[in-house]
Amino acid sequence: MQYEVVLPAAGSGKRMGAGQNKLFLPLANQPILVHTLQVFEQDENCTGIWLAVKDEERAYIQNLLTQYGITKIKGLPTGGAERQHSVHSCIKEMESVEVVLVHDAARPFITIPVIEELTRVAYREGAAIAGVRAKDTMKIVEGGIIKETVDRESLWMIQTPQAFRFDLLAEAEDVAEKVGFLGTDEAMLVERLGHSIHIVESSYENVKMTTQEDLLFGEAILNKRKATSAN
Ligand code: CTP
Ligand code: MG
């Protein structure tokens, strides 16, 4: 199933505390952003990449694209103050496609089998998002006191990619903008329209590079993959 992907890359990486956009930090000698781009560059079902960027970082990113031979870029729209705005700036420039994926540029370890399953389910059902089962016991805490233990069976930790029929996501984003609703992911915007969202079980390796220790996990994942592919 073919698709185009939107990669929001216009954040500041405040929680990483690197004093620059965290996507430019190296993992195994390559910027995080490049690792993410390479997954989609290599996936033959991906027919276009849309990257939301900051104006002042566009030239630097264009250099990276040339340097690392990324050829599938269809647009580099200017991102917004919130991630949702950055995604929307891409959706507004895109022509209608069957399926669109939204994926955090800060999640470099997504794999093609998960992408394939997401696009298949999104095409069939309209909306599918990646997630993993919660591993720890989960409790609701209020004012420092346990209020309730939640049944873990029904709890999932949500990641990206989030995949949609293009028209459904475009409508959800337009509606959210009109009423001034800000969601933490794309699925929330589609949920508001009353549409069911399917979950696709992903991997715990699909971590988002958010804080310094994530870089250590990232290096470990890359080392493990290198060792596996060398065997
Ligand atoms: N993002 C974006 N536009 C924004 C905010 C975030 O395109 N206004 C992107 C980030 O570049 C990242 C993805 O959305 O690829 C996920 O966001 P997050 O992990 O929160 O990254 P940052 O916002 O950069 O980090 P922080 O929240 O720590 O500042
Ligand atoms: Mg953020």
Side-chain angles (χ1 to χ4, degrees):
M1 181 77 227
Q2 292 194 331
Y3 67 91
E4 290 188 10
V5 67
V6 168
L7 301 175
S12 324
K14 282 203 197 84
R15 287 170 288 175
M16 188 63 78
Q20 61 165 328
N21 188 341
K22 64 187 177 183
L23 299 175
F24 303 147
L25 296 178
L27 268 183
N29 299 322
Q30 259 183 204
I32 292 169
L33 177 61
V34 171
H35 286 282
T36 310
L37 285 165
Q38 282 172 341
V39 175
F40 295 98
E41 182 70 22
Q42 283 158 18
D43 182 3
E44 58 188 25
N45 289 322
C46 178
T47 53
I49 302 173
W50 295 80
L51 204 52
V53 302
K54 286 193 180 135
D55 284 336
E56 61 271 28
E57 293 175 349
R58 185 173 286 106
Y60 182 77
I61 288 175
Q62 273 166 333
N63 273 335
L64 288 179
L65 299 174
T66 310
Q67 188 184 343
Y68 289 96
I70 306 296
T71 61
K72 290 187 184 172
I73 299 291
K74 286 204 165 167
L76 297 167
T78 304
E82 300 290 341
R83 180 184 170 287
Q84 182 179 317
H85 303 138
S86 297
V87 171
H88 202 189
S89 70
C90 292
I91 299 288
K92 279 187 201 159
E93 284 199 15
M94 290 172 74
E95 302 203 352
S96 185
V97 287
E98 209 93 64
V99 171
V100 59
L101 252 73
V102 178
H103 183 59
D104 293 325
R107 290 187 194 268
F109 305 116
I110 185 61
T111 57
I112 289 175
V114 174
I115 294 172
E116 271 178 1
E117 180 66 3
L118 283 162
T119 49
R120 213 171 53 78
V121 180
Y123 180 66
R124 201 182 61 213
E125 309 285 350
I129 65 176
V132 287
R133 293 172 189 279
K135 291 191 204 180
D136 295 328
T137 298
M138 307 293 276
K139 296 184 192 285
I140 297 176
V141 181
E142 277 176 15
I145 307 287
I146 307 299
K147 201 179 158 225
E148 197 186 321
T149 300
V150 190
D151 178 16
R152 198 177 52 207
E153 272 306 295
S154 57
L155 287 182
W156 288 72
M157 301 190 291
I158 300 307
Q159 309 171 336
T160 68
Q162 304 202 342
F164 306 90
R165 281 185 177 266
F166 180 84
D167 296 340
L168 178 61
L169 181 62
E171 183 194 349
E173 297 215 348
D174 288 345
V175 170
E177 180 171 74
K178 213 155 115 196
V179 302
F181 177 82
L182 199 60
T184 48
D185 68 353
E186 284 61 53
M188 268 181 90
L189 313 186
V190 175
E191 285 160 39
R192 288 186 77 250
L193 299 186
H195 202 290
S196 303
I197 320 256
H198 289 248
I199 187 113
V200 166
E201 190 154 15
S202 168
S203 154
Y204 293 105
E205 287 189 8
N206 183 28
V207 284
K208 181 156 69 66
M209 298 295 105
T210 305
T211 55
Q212 285 288 328
E213 53 272 26
D214 292 322
L215 300 175
L216 296 176
F217 303 146
E219 295 283 352
I221 291 167
L222 285 176
N223 284 336
K224 189 201 82 172
R225 289 186 180 179
K226 213 159 85 190
T228 315
S229 67
N231 286 335

